[in-house]
Amino acid sequence: MRLESETPQQHAPRSGLILLQVLVLAIFCLFTLRLWFLQVHKGAKFAEMARDNQLRQVLINSARGRILDKKGTPLAISEPSFALGLVREDCENVDATLDKVAEWTGVDRTALAETFRRGKKRVKPFEPLILITDLSFEALTRIEANSVLYPGLEIVIRQKRFYPLGPLMAHVLGYVAEANEDELEKNPQLSLGDSVGKQGVEYSLETLLRGSKGRKQVEVDAFGRQHNEVILEPPKAGADVTLAIDVNLQRECSDLLGDQAGAIVVMEPETGKILAMVSEPSFDNNLFVLGVPADKWRELRDDPRHPIQNRVTQGVYPPGSVFKLLMAAAGLSEGFIHYGDVVSCPPSYRVGNREFHDWKKSGFGSLDLRGALVHSCDVFFYKLGDRMGVDRLHDYALASGFGARTGIDLPHEKAGLIPSKEWKRKRFGAAWSRGETVIASIGQGYVLTSPLQVARYLSALVNGGKLMKPELVETDPPQVDGTLPLKDADRQFIVDSMVATVERGTGKSVYRSDAIIGAKTGTAQVVKLINPDVRVKGKSMPYEQRDHAWMASWGQKDGKLYAVVCIVEHGGGHGGEICGPIERKIYDYLFGPAPSRVPRPVAPAGTEGGEPTPDAGAAGDAGDAGGAGEIGD
């Protein structure tokens, strides 16, 4: 019997085997082709992309230090903001990217291109070049939504400065703004788009406030995305700075000036600390943080009242009769006058063929030095200045701190001017005249001082003769820069005469029975008038022809001592009338409300009369000395 080993149905179908073999071969060929595509055809591109997938070091911005007032009120703070950067090495098409950025943000395309051009040489490879320093929320969302389509764009978190009180502290604080080319060249730590102090405390304390940047290491893939961040060096925030300024006193002084152009400075005589520094009109320093618009800048620049100028340190004015404090000190120190010397004070003083009139038409008769200070007699000081001569006056004034910067930590302080024969010869190529000495002796003519210089000198008179450096920072130790060239007895005589001026002279407007207050008023003529009698009309005169009103005073109560100086430009009245009520209210803040006034006994006529009204005489040689004639109080 024959058995068949297998039936036809037991054989595998031959066609299926072939199909399987073809499928395996096709898959192999597909992988081979893909491998060739990746390794050969696209090998160079992927090799470049792989090189871009590397570690980078990125700078971390530091927070700028805060600025506070003496009670801890924030005056300058930093807030988070978002900047737009462009990493050139990751950007495939810079022009197309800039076009899109301009479309998304509304920033001018030409300005973006210029920023990119300037920044190329400043930014290291793979660091973001800052195109826009502060993005709006709408622009931020549009960029974030489309950033994948435009590689190289990067949102950078930065700090933006904010000044909560705006104009109230603008002249003290200054402002920060984007660093310019010169600043970037001088400081290698700065990067394009960084902000630096431009004015005020922000400028003078820039290094302390700025801090230092940190560094981090990140892994960046071919699409610019960052991974695996490692902090190499943490950023160091700038130090907080506490000022000696009392912001409530600052606000009170600003409110008292109101819409008048002028300045007020309040100083601690023993320490030199500045408790208030007000210059009006002012400006909003927040405008400058992100770049002030051109039209607004022109408006500020061309304003005839100069709101950007800090009148306390940069405003220099003829001091008027306030300068008689220095004249009295110089006369005593140089031996030209003594306490008991009585001088005839007629209505005018003649030099050659020129008549220099007193502010009081009838004159004062005869006065000693104290009486001349109390009643602000012009003729007394005309005679004293004529005897001394301008060069001796110049040397003494410089030794007393005038004609030089005080050294306060603010930029662009002006030194003022104390004239001399040599100065006029160099400046005008002309000889000095006696008439110019006479007019300089009452703080007119070429004599120019700043309110801060007056406050410093006044402080030295009442603190024992120490010329203190004016200090804005609360923690800075007191610094004595010099000593008045004045004997203690003579200094005390002048201080006592200032008290008498408040009790029965031109400074009665600041009198209060619960404190010791001394003052000297001043009225500084700014133009020479053909008819001096017009001056009595005060505010009816054109604004630019009105006199400046001064008052320099000091007050002491319960162991607290302050120096207060106020000037109102073109105030239209004398110092006691215009500045007196302002300073009285400042003392109300410092010492508390004053007790009710007790009527003062009426003084004999011609000696201690009521508060005088200025009445300038005809201008003599003074009209040739800077266009100002003589005037007192």
Side-chain angles (χ1 to χ4, degrees), residues 209-223:
L209 290 166
R210 188 177 66 241
S212 58
K213 296 180 180 179
R215 291 182 303 115
K216 64 181 178 180
Q217 181 175 276
V218 295
E219 184 178 347
V220 183
D221 62 24
F223 298 100

Side-chain angles (χ1 to χ4, degrees), residues 420-433:
S420 66
K421 293 179 180 178
E422 181 182 3
W423 170 83
K424 188 181 179 186
R425 189 179 303 110
K426 289 182 178 179
R427 177 68 176 82
F428 297 106
W432 186 267
S433 69

Side-chain angles (χ1 to χ4, degrees), residues 289-451:
V289 173
L290 298 177
V292 62
D295 58 339
K296 185 62 178 177
W297 167 246
R298 285 192 296 271
E299 179 184 337
L300 290 170
R301 181 195 63 192
D302 299 336
D303 190 323
R305 301 212 306 165
H306 310 295
I308 297 179
Q309 181 189 53
N310 184 353
R311 286 168 161 80
V312 175
T313 60
Q314 298 171 334
V316 288
Y317 309 86
S321 293
V322 171
F323 200 65
K324 293 171 182 175
L325 295 172
L326 178 81
M327 286 297 301
L332 290 170
S333 297
E334 301 292 326
F336 287 95
I337 194 72
H338 299 90
Y339 306 145
D341 292 351
V342 176
V343 177
S344 175
C345 297
S348 65
Y349 180 65
R350 176 176 289 273
V351 176
N353 62 348
R354 301 281 187 173
E355 287 284 340
F356 294 90
H357 294 260
D358 203 293
W359 67 263
K360 187 177 181 181
K361 285 185 176 182
S362 61
F364 284 95
S366 297
L367 292 173
D368 61 9
L369 179 57
R370 175 161 294 172
L373 287 171
V374 168
H375 300 293
S376 200
C377 174
D378 290 336
V379 169
F380 187 101
F381 292 98
Y382 292 157
K383 292 183 176 181
L384 178 58
D386 195 19
R387 290 178 61 198
M388 289 181 60
V390 68
D391 285 341
R392 184 176 278 107
L393 173 58
H394 168 272
D395 293 344
Y396 188 86
L398 260 60
S400 300
F402 290 99
R405 297 178 179 88
T406 66
I408 190 172
D409 291 327
L410 289 177
H412 315 306
E413 181 187 7
K414 290 188 177 179
L417 174 63
I418 303 297
S420 66
K421 293 179 180 178
E422 181 182 3
W423 170 83
K424 188 181 179 186
R425 189 179 303 110
K426 289 182 178 179
R427 177 68 176 82
F428 297 106
W432 186 267
S433 69
R434 280 179 63 199
E436 290 170 323
T437 303
V438 167
I439 205 64
S441 66
I442 62 164
Q444 292 281 178
Y446 296 116
V447 177
L448 296 172
T449 63
S450 72

Side-chain angles (χ1 to χ4, degrees), residues 45-199:
K45 178 177 176 62
F46 286 127
E48 182 181 355
M49 293 176 67
R51 287 193 296 271
D52 285 343
N53 191 24
Q54 59 184 342
L55 297 177
R56 297 181 189 172
Q57 288 192 12
V58 180
L59 292 175
I60 308 173
N61 291 308
S62 59
R64 193 172 181 87
R66 299 179 302 162
I67 303 177
L68 313 170
D69 91 325
K70 68 183 305 175
K71 297 179 180 178
T73 303
L75 306 177
I77 58 177
S78 295
E79 298 178 333
S81 69
F82 299 95
L84 177 63
L86 177 65
V87 180
R88 291 169 295 163
E89 291 75 15
D90 294 335
C91 184
E92 296 179 353
N93 189 328
V94 172
D95 289 334
T97 300
L98 294 180
D99 289 340
K100 277 298 177 183
V101 170
E103 177 186 334
W104 293 333
T105 62
V107 177
D108 182 69
R109 172 64 169 76
T110 304
L112 288 173
E114 176 61 20
T115 300
F116 180 79
R117 184 193 66 79
R118 289 191 302 112
K120 285 192 297 185
K121 60 182 180 180
R122 301 284 182 192
V123 178
K124 297 178 181 178
F126 298 104
E127 281 189 2
L129 187 160
I130 302 299
L131 297 174
I132 301 174
T133 54
D134 188 55
L135 290 170
S136 66
F137 180 76
E138 180 182 356
L140 176 64
T141 55
R142 296 188 70 180
I143 292 170
E144 287 281 21
N146 295 278
S147 59
V148 176
L149 302 177
Y150 293 88
L153 291 177
E154 181 178 326
I155 302 298
V156 181
I157 300 178
R158 302 166 67 88
Q159 298 288 325
K160 179 177 69 175
R161 206 61 160 168
F162 176 64
Y163 303 102
L165 302 179
L168 181 63
M169 293 295 300
H171 292 106
V172 177
L173 300 178
Y175 55 85
V176 299
E178 186 173 341
N180 57 34
E181 291 285 340
D182 291 340
E183 290 160 338
L184 292 171
E185 285 284 353
K186 293 176 182 177
N187 191 341
Q189 296 180 358
L190 294 176
S191 303
L192 190 70
D194 283 353
S195 293
V196 295
K198 298 285 188 174
Q199 291 288 343

Side-chain angles (χ1 to χ4, degrees), residues 325 328-329 332 339 368-375 458 460-464 486-507 511 515-520 552-554 556 561 608:
L325 295 172
L332 290 170
Y339 306 145
D368 61 9
L369 179 57
R370 175 161 294 172
L373 287 171
V374 168
H375 300 293
L458 179 63
L461 286 176
V462 296
N463 71 10
L486 186 63
K487 295 178 181 178
D488 282 342
D490 295 340
R491 180 186 56 77
Q492 190 60 50
F493 173 85
I494 294 172
V495 169
D496 292 342
S497 298
M498 295 181 73
V499 175
T501 301
V502 171
E503 292 178 344
R504 57 183 185 271
T506 61
Y511 174 81
I516 302 174
I517 297 179
K520 184 70 193 79
S553 70
W554 56 269
Q556 186 174 25
L561 178 63
E608 298 176 1

Side-chain angles (χ1 to χ4, degrees), residues 512 514-517 554-558 560-562 586-594:
R512 52 188 291 164
D514 64 333
I516 302 174
I517 297 179
W554 56 269
Q556 186 174 25
K557 179 183 177 181
D558 299 333
K560 297 179 180 179
L561 178 63
Y562 303 99
I586 292 174
Y587 286 116
D588 287 346
Y589 177 90
L590 294 170
F591 297 146

